[in-house]
Amino acid sequence: MEIGTILLDRYEILEKIGEGGMATVYKAKCHTLDRLVAIKALKSEYAEDEDFVKKFMMECQSAAKLNHPNIVGIYDFHEITNNDKPLYFIVMEYIDGITLKDLIAQKGKISEPEAINISLQILEALKEAHANGIVHRDIKPHNIMISKSGIIKVTDFGIARATTNHTMTTTMDAIGSVHYFSPEQARGAFTDQRTDIYSFGIVLYEMLTGVRPFVGENPITIAMKHIQEEIVPPSELNPEISDAIERVVLKCTMKKQAERYQNAEEVIMDLSAIQSGARSFYTSEDIDESLEQTRIINTVEVEDILDKKKSNIFLDDDDDDFEDTDDYYYDDKQKKRIVKKKSGILPVILGVILAFVISTALYVGYTKLKQGQKANEVKEVTLNNLIGMSEADARQALEELNLKMEIESETTDTTKPFGILNQKPQAGINVKEGSTVYVVLNVDSDQERLESFVGQKIEDIENKISKMALKIEVQYVDSEEEENTIISQNPIAGSTYTEGDTIYLTVSNGKGAEEKTVPNVLGYKFELAKSTLEGEGLIVLDPEYAKSDETAKDAVISQSIQAGEKFEEGDKIKLTVSEGPEEKPEEEPEQKPNETEKPEENTETKPKTADFKVAVPLPQDVDESLIKLVKVVDGQRTTVFEQTYSKSEEVVYVSLKGEPVGEILELYINDNFAETFTVK
Ligand code: ATP
Ligand code: MG
């Protein structure tokens, strides 16, 4: 996007701040509210992918609900057309600052008190998100910002879900974050809030040691290490750190979810204890110093890094350096980036861990990793937080995710809020679509419960439902039940309800549920064929035209779905319609005003005779029909054709060879006059 572009008459693009795998981030000014904002615009390859955009939008919506000082606020999401192309962008809180990645790159190791300070803020953000059922899934230093005033702001909540579950390209991008991947992500298995705890643990490791625990020459190797290899204890790389914080790192990064901290609060407690415990050892002078240290990310430092970043002499933004045995250092005097020098640390680590061979197993793992993510895309949804919701709201929320809800137990505890008290599985967990979520429901014993409406007639209960102050939504379906009978209801009988809830009723239209089959319209004039098919619920596409010697002009030669085949309402059918015979297409000025069928204009006009042919649809209300053609010569009627057909034939063709041109023929169906034709 050009600098100076104004989006929606409101956001003026001021400068490009950064670029990630799927989006470009700009600093912008919102003129309506007169404030700076960050605009994150989806790259065009993603904007073209409807599914992705939908998912992305949904994730933004849920993330937008989060309101916390340590979470980058999402203000809005827009879909516009810019330069004739769709443009999707998120408007979010602008953070004047740097990322944790910048800070680590600048400082190498971060002191323990400072790392704890940063960690506690990250964890507060995670705690808030998890409480709202949102798992980040892409916790890494680039997604952790530090404002000039030293406040940590975690960004991209929930967005990773849209990304990592997406296509191959995105999977490759997600692999950019592979250094922080949890083993379950690497395997493509279930992720939940403990996934964020793991990634946080890796970030803490990196803060304390200046390096990431697993490195390798490609993403597969790294992913496999997350699954299989033990972490080199951070104290081996930084002997200055306390045992206590080392234990925190190791517990966060356990391979098995069950062995990790189970939630952010548990980590907060341990880190806070380390923080205050450390203080108690210090003299009061030390305390001041320590407090100072915890506030170490001060304005000056952040600004300094920011300046260096801006002048582009420090840091490239490329994170996909899987080799990672290089390190940057910054020569303050020369004010330029010197070299990527070998740090020497990583070869040590690599020496400690087992040599890793890329084997078939690796590729299997890698394929699984990709497939896992692809499979997630189709079949898995992330559970909402239902706790605190009313039963009806919870049901609806789950329905939107294609999940079922079952009440595992019910209590009537007036000391607790009514509604859902607990849920299984927990919020944030990925579950297969269609699966059941079990809840503990706390009901107000005075609260009304829905009765069963099933089997009743809709007109009989409408009044009652409106008296209950419920909204009603009715869906009519084909069913054997008598017309207007309620077949099912949601919420089900026995559920509690509150005024304003909606009750969804499925009601029979009395049409029977048998499957419909396509009628035969061969030989029908197009208009008749069309109305016949439309009457059955098919959509008739514009016809194709073809010359035909066999079928009369305007009559149907063929149908794209054969007669007798099953169809569903709304299916499309295409008919091929005759333009008449090959040679003389416009040779039929006009026929007697025929209501339905028309003879074929077989027009070998030179001779005085012509072949006559007509398609006759057989009445379907009688088993058999007698079809007669009667020749009229000077007022004299002679039957020239007579035959009985079974109704199963539906349409029959009656033809006479070499009839004199101009001859009049009358068609009788079951001795009832149907139509007059003139032989042409
Ligand atoms: P990924 O695509 O994997 O998320 P990323 O986090 O580096 O990688 P983006 O999220 O697109 O990519 O962010 C790109 C850069 O934009 C960030 O590294 C950060 O410097 C900057 N940035 C992102 N959000 C904001 C914001 N709200 N305010 C200020 N700068 C931001
Ligand atoms: Mg990001």
Side-chain angles (χ1 to χ4, degrees):
M1 235 181 324
E2 296 274 314
I3 302 305
T5 305
I6 297 184
L7 302 172
L8 292 168
D9 265 350
R10 175 172 181 183
Y11 304 109
E12 182 186 348
I13 302 296
L14 301 178
E15 65 180 271
K16 181 175 159 182
I17 317 173
E19 192 173 333
M22 61 170 181
T24 311
V25 181
Y26 300 91
K27 177 178 175 179
K29 171 140 192 198
C30 169
H31 285 284
T32 314
L33 295 171
D34 194 26
R35 64 178 174 187
L36 289 174
V37 293
I39 287 202
K40 185 165 185 169
L42 264 194
K43 289 183 179 173
S44 57
E45 61 258 43
Y46 294 102
E48 279 156 20
D49 185 332
E50 248 176 62
D51 279 355
F52 176 79
V53 169
K54 227 189 259 165
K55 202 175 242 174
F56 185 72
M57 236 159 71
M58 272 166 53
E59 294 300 329
C60 287
Q61 268 170 7
S62 59
K65 288 187 197 129
L66 299 175
N67 180 13
H68 190 272
N70 296 120
I71 296 177
V72 176
I74 293 186
Y75 298 144
D76 230 330
F77 181 85
H78 291 285
E79 172 187 356
I80 61 166
T81 305
N82 186 40
N83 292 333
D84 291 334
K85 282 191 215 117
L87 174 69
Y88 298 89
F89 64 91
I90 310 170
V91 184
M92 43 179 186
E93 185 184 352
Y94 169 70
I95 309 301
D96 191 8
I98 57 170
T99 67
L100 181 58
K101 180 187 171 191
D102 300 333
L103 188 75
I104 295 171
Q106 162 76 347
K107 299 183 76 164
K109 290 171 198 150
I110 295 174
S111 74
E112 185 173 326
E114 187 183 351
I116 292 177
N117 173 296
I118 294 171
S119 294
L120 286 172
Q121 298 185 57
I122 299 171
L123 290 162
E124 287 297 338
L126 290 178
K127 188 173 134 187
E128 172 73 11
H130 295 165
N132 281 282
I134 296 170
V135 179
H136 193 296
R137 292 193 184 79
D138 196 19
I139 286 292
K140 57 179 177 181
H142 338 32
N143 281 337
I144 298 166
M145 300 209 57
I146 307 168
S147 77
K148 277 184 179 172
S149 46
I151 295 178
I152 299 296
K153 298 269 187 182
V154 183
T155 184
D156 286 353
F157 265 100
I159 293 170
R161 182 180 153 66
T163 329
T164 51
N165 283 348
H166 190 51
T167 55
M168 194 73 152
T169 4
T170 331
T171 307
M172 292 314 288
D173 292 334
I175 281 168
S177 311
V178 78
H179 290 104
Y180 308 91
F181 251 26
S182 63
E184 60 270 24
Q185 282 172 304
R187 284 196 313 266
F190 277 179
T191 54
D192 62 18
Q193 54 184 12
R194 295 168 299 183
T195 303
D196 286 346
I197 301 282
Y198 181 93
S199 302
F200 158 77
I202 303 291
V203 172
L204 178 56
Y205 186 105
E206 191 179 352
M207 285 196 274
L208 295 170
T209 62
V211 292
R212 295 172 280 212
F214 297 122
V215 289
E217 63 274 19
N218 64 44
I220 311 165
T221 321
I222 300 173
M224 292 308 287
K225 285 180 179 177
H226 281 289
I227 297 172
Q228 299 178 335
E229 279 188 11
E230 289 309 313
I231 278 180
V232 174
S235 58
E236 286 189 21
L237 300 162
N238 181 359
E240 281 169 28
I241 63 168
S242 67
D243 289 351
I245 198 149
E246 173 152 295
R247 279 198 297 275
V248 173
V249 173
L250 296 177
K251 188 162 178 186
C252 286
T253 53
M254 293 306 283
K255 308 281 182 213
K256 291 186 183 142
Q257 279 135 300
E259 290 172 6
R260 289 176 213 156
Y261 289 101
Q262 295 300 293
N263 56 55
E265 181 60 32
E266 287 179 13
V267 197
I268 292 175
M269 276 159 60
D270 277 5
L271 286 180
S272 306
I274 298 170
Q275 198 177 46
S276 49
R279 271 181 211 152
S280 64
F281 286 113
Y282 293 141
T283 62
S284 58
E285 242 169 62
D286 286 339
I287 290 171
D288 287 346
E289 199 187 306
S290 154
L291 283 176
E292 190 49 45
Q293 271 195 343
T294 60
R295 246 182 279 114
I296 237 156
I297 358 150
N298 56 34
T299 311
V300 179
E301 190 177 27
V302 172
E303 264 176 18
D304 188 36
I305 297 175
L306 200 57
D307 284 349
K308 287 169 187 167
K309 236 192 133 175
K310 276 192 184 141
S311 53
N312 232 352
I313 50 173
F314 170 67
L315 270 183
D316 64 8
D317 232 18
D318 169 24
D319 181 47
D320 297 336
D321 47 342
F322 297 109
E323 280 291 351
D324 222 5
T325 47
D326 296 337
D327 207 358
Y328 303 131
Y329 76 89
Y330 179 69
D331 185 322
D332 220 348
K333 280 179 208 123
Q334 292 182 34
K335 290 270 180 234
K336 64 175 192 192
R337 184 169 146 195
I338 309 290
V339 268
K340 282 176 152 192
K341 81 171 167 75
K342 295 279 174 197
S343 70
I345 294 169
L346 280 147
V348 175
I349 302 179
L350 289 170
V352 178
I353 52 183
L354 287 169
F356 209 85
V357 187
I358 300 180
S359 61
T360 322
L362 242 168
Y363 276 100
V364 170
Y366 181 49
T367 319
K368 259 196 184 161
L369 179 135
K370 289 190 293 189
Q371 284 170 347
Q373 287 172 340
K374 277 198 141 178
N376 283 352
E377 179 186 21
V378 196
K379 290 192 218 120
E380 281 184 16
V381 287
T382 305
L383 259 187
N384 287 349
N385 177 37
L386 305 172
I387 297 170
M389 282 189 181
S390 74
E391 184 189 348
D393 286 352
R395 250 180 227 289
Q396 202 188 330
L398 290 180
E399 199 155 286
E400 278 163 17
L401 295 172
N402 270 331
L403 297 172
K404 289 176 222 134
M405 181 172 108
E406 249 176 59
I407 298 166
E408 193 179 60
S409 65
E410 243 181 46
T411 58
T412 46
D413 183 346
T414 47
T415 65
K416 292 196 179 133
F418 296 120
I420 310 292
L421 280 188
N422 211 343
Q423 69 182 87
K424 232 181 1 190
Q426 289 173 5
I429 292 202
N430 279 1
V431 294
K432 291 232 158 45
E433 274 193 1
S435 58
T436 305
V437 178
Y438 297 88
V439 298
V440 178
L441 184 67
N442 188 23
V443 275
D444 184 346
S445 44
D446 298 336
Q447 207 181 350
E448 302 283 347
R449 284 167 183 275
L450 281 179
E451 60 181 278
S452 172
F453 299 112
V454 175
Q456 303 191 52
K457 286 283 176 61
I458 180 84
E459 58 267 26
D460 299 339
I461 63 142
E462 259 162 346
N463 245 340
K464 196 175 203 174
I465 289 182
S466 71
K467 269 196 209 125
M468 292 156 78
L470 291 177
K471 290 187 210 116
I472 183 167
E473 247 178 62
V474 176
Q475 194 195 0
Y476 285 91
V477 295
D478 288 351
S479 156
E480 308 281 60
E481 297 288 333
E482 214 176 303
E483 195 175 347
N484 290 339
T485 308
I486 296 164
I487 301 165
S488 68
Q489 69 182 66
N490 183 14
I492 55 169
S495 308
T496 55
Y497 67 89
T498 337
E499 287 188 5
D501 284 352
T502 304
I503 178 161
Y504 298 88
L505 299 174
T506 310
V507 177
S508 168
N509 61 13
K511 283 198 188 136
E514 329 97 89
E515 282 170 298
K516 292 188 178 178
T517 55
V518 175
N520 184 357
V521 293
L522 296 181
Y524 282 37
K525 273 168 68 177
F526 176 69
E527 283 314 314
L528 176 67
K530 185 168 189 269
S531 59
T532 306
L533 295 170
E534 284 175 348
E536 292 293 323
L538 282 156
I539 295 171
V540 181
L541 300 171
D542 285 343
E544 237 170 62
Y545 289 92
K547 302 253 189 269
S548 168
D549 290 330
E550 304 288 300
T551 308
K553 185 169 186 298
D554 288 338
V556 175
I557 303 170
S558 67
Q559 53 190 80
S560 63
I561 314 176
Q562 299 307 310
E565 279 192 23
K566 296 197 178 87
F567 73 95
E568 271 166 29
E569 217 162 294
D571 281 359
K572 298 188 176 90
I573 185 166
K574 193 172 184 102
L575 303 176
T576 307
V577 174
S578 169
E579 285 182 313
E582 194 75 60
E583 293 96 309
K584 305 191 172 169
E586 75 282 2
E587 241 283 69
E588 31 76 70
E590 118 272 44
Q591 198 86 43
K592 280 254 167 65
N594 300 336
E595 302 97 293
T596 53
E597 276 63 40
K598 224 185 202 179
E600 178 169 339
E601 287 74 31
N602 244 350
T603 47
E604 273 88 30
T605 46
K606 288 278 152 59
K608 291 256 158 49
T609 60
D611 291 343
F612 172 82
K613 186 177 182 188
V614 64
V616 183
L618 298 177
Q620 295 293 298
D621 50 353
V622 287
D623 286 344
E624 288 191 333
S625 292
L626 175 68
I627 304 299
K628 261 192 218 172
L629 273 180
V630 174
K631 195 186 268 189
V632 187
V633 181
D634 301 331
Q636 295 271 4
R637 288 178 159 75
T638 333
T639 300
V640 289
F641 176 92
E642 193 172 355
Q643 195 166 326
T644 303
Y645 295 95
S646 145
K647 77 167 185 186
S648 66
E649 297 207 35
E650 293 181 333
V651 179
V652 293
Y653 294 90
V654 176
S655 56
L656 298 172
K657 289 231 178 271
E659 292 299 310
V661 171
E663 186 180 65
I664 299 199
L665 292 167
E666 289 174 346
L667 171 70
Y668 290 81
I669 302 173
N670 295 326
D671 291 322
N672 296 317
F673 170 76
E675 215 169 334
T676 305
F677 302 100
T678 308
V679 177
K680 297 206 151 225

